[in-house]
Structure formats: C-alpha cells, structure tokens
Amino acid sequence: MNRIAVSISRGIARVTDAALGPYQTAVIRIGFAATWLLFLLREFPHRQEMYGPDGPWKWDLAQRLVADNHAFTILMWSDSQVWFETVYTLAVLSALLLLVGWRTRTMSVLFMIGVLSLQNRSIFMGDGGDNVIHLMAIYLVFTRCGQVWSLDARRARLAREAHAGGDLPRVGAQDRVGLALWATLGLLLAAATGAGRLSPGWLAIFWGLWAVQALWWAVGRLARTAEPRILLDVIANAVHNAALLVIMAEACLIYATAGWYKIQGSRWQDGTAVYYPLHLDYFSPWPALSDLLASHGTIVMLVTYGTVAVQVAFPFTLINRRVKNVLLAAMMTEHAVIAVVLGLPFFSLAMIAADAVFLPTSFLRRLGGWAARAPGRLFPPGARKLPGQRAQGPRTPEPAEDPHVGFTA
C-alpha cells in the first residue's frame, strides 16, 4: 500500500509540478500559427471568393447552415464588407502575434476565434489540414505554449531579473499593456453579450477565460504570500498537461483511422492507390514529376504499402523511442513529399506541426540553438578584429520556462 501511495503521489506531482513538453507545445504553437498565417496571406487576393459576402457560398446559405449546426463564427454577425475585412485582419494579426509569442494566452483565444470564424463561414473551402488546424486552435487555448521561444518568455525573464534586483515591487505590477488589452477585450465582450451575439455556451467560455486573466493579474499584484500563485500554477499545469495529452491522442487517432480506412480500400490493398492522384490535374502542380513517379510501378507500390504500414503502426511505436523517431521522420518526409508532388503545402505543414508534438526534447533544444546562432553565422557581428583576437559567436541563453507575468500568460 505504501508503494502504491508513493507511486500515486509521484504521478500527481509529475502532472502538477510543471507544464510538460514546453518545447513541443512551442513548436505546435509556431507551426500552426505559421501555417494559418501563410494560408491567409496566400489566399488574400481570393479572400472575397472564399469567405467574403460575395462568395459562391452566400451569406444567407451560411446563416441557415450555422443555425442548423450551431457552429461558432463571428462573420455571421454582419454581412457588411467592413466587418469581413475586420475579421480577416484580426485572423492575420492574431496568427502573427501567436507565432512570435506575444501575449500567448490572449492571442491563442483570438487565434481560435479567427480560425473558427473563417472556416465555419464556408465549410467547403478546406481539406484535411484545415480540420487539423480547427481542432488544434481549440486545444492551444488550454496550453502554456509560450514557455519557450516567445516574446512572453523573454519578458518574463527580464521581469524576474528586475524583481530580483529590487526594481519591481511585485511580479506583474507593471503590466500596463496587458491590463489595457484585458480591459479592451472585456468591453468588446460586454458589447457582444449585450447585443445577444453569443450563445450561452460561448458566453461561459469567453467570460471564464477573461476572468482567469484577471485572476492571474490580481494574484501577482495583490497576493502577499506565494501560496495563491502556487495554486494557480498547479491548476494551469494540470490543464496544460491534459490538453497536451489530448493533442497527442488526436494525432494518433488521425493516423490510426486513416491507416485502418486505407486497409479496407481495394486500391490500397493491391498497391495502386498512389498512382491515381498523380494523374489528377488538381493534384499535379508538376506534371513531369508526377508522370515520372507514376511510371515506376515498384515505387508506387512501395509508397502505397509503406504509407498504410506507417500510419497503422505509429500509435503502437510510442512505447519505443527509437522506433517512434524513425517512423516520425518517415511521416514528416512523406508530408514534405506530398506538399511538393501533390501541391498540398498547407495540409502538409499542418500535419508536420501535429507530428512535432512527438519530437524529442533534446532535438528541439539543439534545433533552437541552431536557429539562434544562424543570424550570427550569416551576418557576423564584426568584419574586423584585432590581431590575435578570436571571433566569438553570439551566446544563446537558455529560454525562460515561465512566461506568466501579469496578463502575459
């Protein structure tokens, strides 16, 4: 019984002491924000036809559909051109700010609003990658995805250094930008509530998130002891770890269902399934390359059977780190090939971002170090040096682990 109690206590401590996978969640944040941002910028000239009031999927049709499926989209609040441009701009800005990690907790909510609003406005404008972004945008709201590789982490580190030096009376007391952002969003939320634009469920979610922001700031500003802060960290860590588990389960579910459905198809069974999309004009941005691959039957068969084998086997390989890493590299390579050969770059980017949750922490730390040193290698800080002086590369400080300062989180 004592051993069981010790094991349970260790498990609870593991879940609540820290937010697990800080580098993995940072990669997910960067990957999906970059994918959505690139998609919006790529389709900016065509935004009217895809999501605007003059698109083939008319505003009246979208309104009827939303009334039936109760999907969330603020685009249906008005059919004016100004409102559409405002929402589209909001989606672009929120994706950009989430990418760089500025006010990640707030930007993750605005990012989710932008994704859901545009995708639910025109449900026929998308593919499997859009579905993945749709789900991950919701999950990111519940993660502490700004712990590393973000402006929030940098600001938190500077705040801790200033607090240690006696410059700040209390952590979070000087977060005027966050306070202004919180107040502005509160006024907008109150206006939407008064106008009856939100359903009871979404009202509870948004007001709850807004109240959580206020609670974080109040504890950092007014708490006289560390206990309230520790309690909030424990709750936030538990929610983060649960969301991270859901993200991992979602990625496994995607591959498992895709693989098992492929097994039931006759074209996948006889090894010719990959041949047919190579001859579709819609999936042939490089016809010469598609013809070259399709002309080799052995390659087509190996790719067909290999795709099914990797997708079915991947969820079972998580118990073995080495095998998992090999299959993970194979799946990422496959998605990169799909992006080039079949002309589905955003679908591939979304899937690679989802796969990144399983990347080893050591590899991500090295990757972050390479990225931090790359500007210094491309643009050396000094062209001249004194005789005998050795050139020194830029130092790469360890990323901060706690971005929760005031309204930063």
Side-chain angles (χ1 to χ4, degrees):
M1 292 298 296
N2 289 335
R3 287 196 296 268
I4 295 176
V6 170
S7 300
I8 294 176
S9 63
R10 288 178 178 175
I12 295 175
R14 175 69 173 170
V15 173
T16 58
D17 280 353
L20 303 177
Y23 292 91
Q24 285 79 3
T25 50
V27 170
I28 293 174
R29 185 199 81 233
I30 295 172
F32 282 103
T35 302
W36 183 241
L37 177 63
L38 292 174
F39 173 78
L40 294 179
L41 296 178
R42 167 63 180 82
E43 303 298 341
F44 186 81
H46 314 288
R47 66 190 186 281
Q48 297 292 343
E49 293 80 5
M50 297 180 64
Y51 305 111
D54 298 330
W57 188 249
K58 298 297 183 181
W59 192 82
D60 294 337
L61 294 175
Q63 191 176 34
R64 291 169 56 186
L65 178 63
V66 171
D68 291 336
N69 61 14
H70 306 287
F72 173 81
T73 170
I74 63 175
L75 273 180
M76 302 312 300
W77 292 1
S78 174
D79 60 348
S80 68
Q81 181 65 29
V82 175
W83 179 245
F84 166 73
E85 297 293 348
T86 301
V87 175
Y88 200 92
T89 303
L90 170 68
V92 173
L93 290 178
S94 62
L96 176 60
L97 294 177
L98 184 64
L99 173 64
V100 299
W102 186 82
R103 312 285 168 175
T104 51
R105 192 185 297 274
T106 301
M107 289 305 118
S108 64
V109 178
L110 296 180
F111 178 77
M112 178 190 68
I113 293 175
V115 171
L116 298 185
S117 296
L118 291 176
Q119 290 188 355
N120 290 334
R121 165 62 176 85
S122 300
I123 61 173
F124 298 108
M125 300 293 180
D127 50 30
D130 292 336
N131 295 332
V132 176
I133 296 175
H134 191 105
L135 295 172
M136 295 301 175
I138 299 175
Y139 301 151
L140 277 175
V141 174
F142 302 97
T143 64
R144 307 179 82 170
C145 55
Q147 291 180 299
V148 297
W149 299 341
S150 66
L151 296 179
D152 287 348
R154 177 179 179 273
R155 184 169 56 253
R157 175 177 55 81
L158 296 177
R160 286 196 301 270
E161 293 175 356
H163 177 64
D167 294 338
L168 290 177
R170 191 171 281 108
V171 177
Q174 304 297 326
D175 193 13
R176 297 186 180 90
V177 176
L179 181 61
L181 181 62
W182 172 81
T184 302
L185 294 177
L187 292 175
L188 294 176
L189 184 57
T193 303
R197 299 293 187 179
L198 295 172
S199 64
W202 285 107
L203 276 176
I205 293 174
F206 289 134
W207 279 115
L209 294 173
W210 185 81
V212 167
Q213 291 280 61
L215 182 61
W216 274 101
W217 182 86
V219 169
R221 181 71 171 85
L222 304 175
R224 298 181 179 274
T225 60
E227 284 77 8
R229 179 75 183 192
I230 294 175
L231 177 61
L232 291 182
D233 275 326
V234 167
I235 296 174
N237 291 337
V239 173
H240 165 92
N241 294 332
L244 184 61
L245 179 62
V246 171
I247 292 174
M248 297 172 66
E250 186 71 40
C252 291
L253 184 63
I254 291 173
Y255 284 116
T257 53
W260 286 108
Y261 272 112
K262 285 182 175 65
I263 289 178
Q264 303 175 33
S266 59
R267 294 294 177 263
W268 291 96
Q269 293 175 5
D270 59 25
T272 61
V274 175
Y275 174 84
Y276 297 98
L278 294 176
H279 289 277
L280 296 176
D281 294 337
Y282 184 78
F283 296 110
S284 300
W286 314 98
L289 179 60
S290 299
D291 294 339
L292 177 62
L293 294 177
S295 62
H296 294 77
T298 303
I299 295 178
V300 171
M301 182 188 65
L302 292 177
V303 173
T304 301
Y305 288 145
T307 299
V308 176
V310 169
Q311 291 181 347
V312 173
F314 179 74
F316 302 99
T317 63
L318 298 182
I319 59 177
N320 188 296
R321 181 182 304 176
R322 294 181 178 178
V323 178
K324 181 262 296 183
N325 291 337
V326 172
L327 290 187
L328 190 62
M331 290 191 300
M332 289 186 169
T333 303
E334 179 186 9
H335 289 305
V337 173
I338 290 175
V340 177
V341 177
L342 300 183
L344 297 172
F346 301 111
F347 166 79
S348 298
L349 285 175
M351 293 307 303
I352 290 175
D355 295 340
V357 71
F358 300 105
L359 288 175
T361 300
S362 58
F363 170 76
L364 293 176
R365 290 169 66 94
R366 289 195 298 269
L367 183 63
W370 295 336
R373 291 189 295 268
R377 293 178 177 177
L378 295 176
F379 307 100
R384 297 180 180 179
K385 61 180 181 179
L386 297 176
Q389 182 181 4
R390 297 180 61 185
Q392 296 181 354
R395 296 180 59 191
T396 305
E398 183 67 20
E401 293 285 337
D402 182 13
H404 301 284
V405 178
F407 290 95
T408 296

